[in-house]
Amino acid sequence: MSLAFAPTHPPQDRPAGPGSAASPDAAPAQVTEAFQFTGTGGEYFRIWIVNLLLSVLTLGVYSAWAKVRRMQYFYRNTRLAGSTFFYHGKPLAILKGRLLALALAVAFKLTVGLSWIAALAILVVPVLAMPWLLSRSYRFRLANSSYRGVRMRFAGTGAQAYQALGWGPPVLLIGSVFIGISAPSLGTRFVIVCTVGLMALAAALVPLIHFGLKNYQHNHSYFGQMPFFTYLRRRDFLNIYARALGLLLLGSATAGAFGYLTRPLARALSGGPFGWLVDLALGMLSASAFYLLVRPFLEARVQNLTWNGTELGTHTFISHASARKLCMLHATNLALITLTLGLYKPFATIRLLKYRIESVHLDMEGDFEDFLADHVGENPGATGQEAGELFGLEFSL
Amino acid sequence: MIEAVYFDGVSARRHPVTVIVHQRVMALRGAGLRRSINLAQLDISERLEHAPRVLRFPDGAFLETSDPGLDRMLAENRYREPRVVRWQRHWPLSLLALVALVGMLAMSYQWALPWAVERVVARLPAGLEARLGDHGLALLDEGMMDPSELPEEEQERIRELFAHLRQPRGEHTPYRLEFRSSAMGPNAMALPNGVIIMTDELVELAGDDTALMGVLAHELGHLQRRHTLRNVLQTMGMGVLVNVWAGDVSGMVTAVPALMLTQHYSRNFERESDQYAIDMLQQNELPLTPLATLFERMHEQRVSRSAGKDKEAPASDYASSHPSDAERIARLRAADRRR
């Protein structure tokens, strides 16, 4: 079965030109195009397993090719107005970045036992370099993304990244390091006060850092020569995070109450033949208040906040991801992944991606024919993106 | 002849074209548009089930098509899909890949990783362990351990007794025996810097020198076989294996299975140490039954202590870092019977 290649909207008649007298009241037609994701779990599962096996057999070298294949799968299955996206990243560039990140990780693990100062240095440097790494990573990603042959571009500089993220990351880093170092020597009570203080500080700073990040990302991105523009406000981010915090407290309280009320039952089950399985399930449930409730909530709301109203020329994005649906998605994914001992993961990834992509629309005024590709700018290396990923940072627009 | 859309790579304008491939040359024709190129110069993207195929020209222009006739046309012109792509599209082969991968991960965990770690540890400098041990000792003394209340002569006597025993296979593992008092109760541990700690409570509970020698031999086994370092490296390696499989799945999901896998490694190390104790005591013509009796007493103490709670010792082996008491006691008694 193949999908016939048909435009999802009738071809437009282009206005004869600005100031044309032919039909003065014919405003450019407004069309809403939905993003579509055509990937399937079954297809992706096969790609995932074969590439994983090859990566393992080559001790990780093939993972760069696997990464390119994965990105290509996601890009080419993302469809807008009848055309798909394309990923141009080259495996060798990605491989270089991964080797560098691996060297850093190994150095960290080895020095941790030897000298905590050296280990600290290896931990601190990437965190302080993070804004720069982020800017390089976006540059690589966007420069290697295209739609209908027109490449995207990221023009943000490293300096602007540092400005955008502000004092937040260094402050939090220094705070954690200070507590970590002084914990053995000072009294437990003082350490607890400091930790709580640091967490409160983080609660206030993280939304601001997130704001800075999204603002930086969106307002320095280009499609061809057309800039993206999003008007974001700090207070919206603070708002969302405040609600997320409320959810977390609510979730933890509920989980705690649930745990307390069902304790006799839990103990009885634990003592039985499948006790270890019950312990496993209970352990996971009680730890999942954050993962099941707060993370999808943040994902959905931040996606809506940053994409709703993002403008590209005369076109506007609309995002309507539902936090509730996303929570359900994550919860069912988690359950299925656990039940299948991890085999469901590729299916889960596709489900999530499909939902998030298809909750975005584009309100178009006029059509894309006017965009011109922008060939200015060199091809940046992949080091930034890969180094960032190995340390667990997820960069997603 | 197939239908496609041509993009020139400069503007986003779509040009509907028809494409034909003949004698490994591709020619396309559209409104005011004509191009041809050697098939070999085209970058042909992988076939995906639900996405249009993209054929890229060297100058950035490209064709996008979902026409089913493309595959046949390419095949007729000797285009072969890359092997990996063919593999991916074949369910049986993919499932075979799954079985192969899981098998490899399981074998790595069970045999390859411990074997590799043993080789690596033999080549690592001793200073690494010394520092780990010193740090650990400092932490213990600060937190859970108090100075021993055993009389100095008693401590010396036990030290002398153990020092006079022959180590198995002519080995000469250096160590230093320290005594402590602790709320932990009867316990002994070996730190990687060569320090063996024994609690007063254990000396009291044992009441028998041979049992104490057995305990010390077990701890010496940890030192001689460098278990602490091997455990650290194996856990790291295991983390990599788990990460290969679980990838970016939430850490919480992998935490419990990872813990179970780690405990399995720990239990194997304990068994190795028990065997070392058997070897050493037998070398010095000492019985193992006193040690077995000591374990029995420690087991009873643990059971009676948790009688106030509703659970006994862990319901199964899976959660414990040591083999079950029953298994260890049985092994010790069997070793005595064999002599």
Side-chain angles (χ1 to χ4, degrees), chain A residues 230 232-233 236-237 240 300-308:
Chain A
T230 315
L232 292 172
R233 293 182 310 187
D236 292 327
F237 276 84
I240 292 181
R301 290 299 158 90
V302 170
Q303 175 180 314
N304 289 348
L305 185 65
T306 51
W307 279 104
N308 244 337

Side-chain angles (χ1 to χ4, degrees), chain A residues 1-5 7 14 38-40 42-43 45-54 56-57 62 69 72-73 76-77 79 81-84 86 88 109-110 113-114 146 148-151 184 267 270-272 276 279-280 284 287-288 291 334 337-338 341-343 345 347 368-369 371-373 375, chain B residues 4-5 7 9-14 43 45-54 56 60 62 64-68 82 84-85 87-91 93-102 104-105 127-128 131-132 139 142 236 244-250 252-253 256-257 260 310-311 315-316 318:
Chain A
M1 174 197 100
S2 87
L3 297 169
F5 181 67
R14 299 192 61 216
T38 52
T40 59
E43 187 181 14
F45 177 81
R46 280 171 278 148
I47 292 179
W48 171 74
I49 192 64
V50 169
N51 282 273
L52 188 58
L53 178 66
L54 287 172
V56 168
L57 286 175
Y62 193 78
R69 178 169 280 122
Q72 268 289 51
Y73 185 76
R76 281 176 58 199
N77 275 304
R79 192 181 288 236
S83 288
T84 61
F86 197 85
H88 301 262
K109 287 259 156 96
L110 284 182
L114 291 178
S146 72
R148 290 202 192 178
V150 176
R151 294 246 184 162
R267 277 203 296 252
S270 286
W276 59 273
D279 286 337
L280 186 109
M284 278 178 47
S288 60
Y291 188 71
L334 193 63
I337 290 178
T338 316
L341 297 177
L343 286 176
K345 189 166 71 85
F347 294 85
F368 285 143
E369 314 283 323
F371 285 136
L372 287 176
H375 289 284
Chain B
V5 179
F7 294 89
V10 172
S11 82
R13 181 194 279 272
R14 282 165 42 193
D43 178 8
S45 66
E46 280 173 29
R47 188 163 160 216
L48 293 179
E49 278 171 33
H50 306 283
R53 205 93 179 253
V54 176
R56 300 182 58 81
F62 64 97
E64 209 176 69
T65 178
S66 301
D67 197 310
V84 177
V85 178
W87 196 358
Q88 279 167 192
R89 297 193 36 231
H90 202 221
W91 264 110
L93 278 180
S94 302
L95 289 177
L96 189 66
L98 176 68
V99 169
L101 181 68
V102 171
M104 277 175 52
L105 288 178
L128 186 63
R131 243 171 296 207
L132 280 173
L139 276 176
E142 235 175 90
M236 269 172 55
V244 163
W245 180 249
D248 50 1
V249 176
S250 146
M252 190 188 63
V253 179
V256 175
M260 282 167 47
D310 328 69
K311 261 201 306 184
S316 78
Y318 293 99

Side-chain angles (χ1 to χ4, degrees), chain B residues 75-87:
Chain B
E76 280 167 7
N77 285 272
R78 301 225 250 123
Y79 171 77
R80 299 274 289 160
E81 272 182 331
R83 232 171 311 165
V84 177
V85 178
R86 263 181 281 146
W87 196 358

Side-chain angles (χ1 to χ4, degrees), chain B residues 290-307:
Chain B
L291 184 60
T293 317
L294 175 57
F295 280 174
E296 272 165 5
R297 272 191 230 147
M298 286 173 73
H299 177 79
E300 272 155 37
Q301 228 192 37
R302 253 201 308 272
V303 168
S304 66
R305 233 189 314 170
S306 58

